[in-house]
Amino acid sequence: MMANQPDQFSSFSSLLRAALDDLLVPDAETFLDMVADDIVMEFPYAPPAAVPRVEGKAALAEYLAGAAALITIETMSEPVVHRTQDPDIVILEFTCTGHGTETGIAYNQTYISVVTLADGYITHYRDYWNPLVAMRAMGGDEAITAALKETGNA
């Protein structure tokens, strides 16, 4: 596991808190605390075997549990935050290091995320990432399909 450095985060929620602090409800500590009940999370570059869209907090919790079984994230970089003309939409750029849970193969990903907020909660999260990095770390398309079927997400 890589040691944390000052410009790295050990969790997605701490990265989001640093990037969106003044836009989020103050007491939200986890990613699920930060999202609205009717959250929509989209993955425009998801490979055919993966889920392209998740709707609702309960479905997102289930999806995240399945994803955590596939990839271990060790660190996340300091996000580059782009404020847009719409004060409720923020674009984030960040990277992570990690590995496929079953394979041990490196998962070093770059993300660009478009985040929409309302009343202190994330209502829409569009996550752009390279599916080839994910597929390699997880052992290929077949491994993704099998793992997602086991969690009920495929």
Side-chain angles (χ1 to χ4, degrees), residues 13-97:
S13 55
S14 63
L15 177 140
L16 288 175
R17 175 53 69 190
L20 306 172
D21 187 42
D22 60 327
L23 299 174
L24 290 168
V25 292
D27 60 343
E29 294 182 13
T30 69
F31 179 51
L32 288 174
D33 290 343
M34 297 174 185
V35 302
D37 289 339
D38 61 349
I39 177 76
V40 173
M41 191 155 185
E42 293 182 291
F43 309 97
Y45 295 148
V51 176
R53 181 182 175 101
V54 177
E55 295 183 36
K57 189 184 275 195
L60 181 58
E62 184 178 332
Y63 174 84
L64 293 174
L70 301 173
I71 296 287
T72 298
I73 303 294
E74 294 158 354
T75 61
M76 305 187 99
S77 69
E78 179 80 29
V80 176
V81 179
H82 303 279
R83 299 285 178 134
T84 67
Q85 291 181 340
D86 182 332
D88 295 326
I89 298 176
V90 178
I91 299 168
L92 306 176
E93 295 181 65
F94 58 97
T95 61
C96 78
T97 62

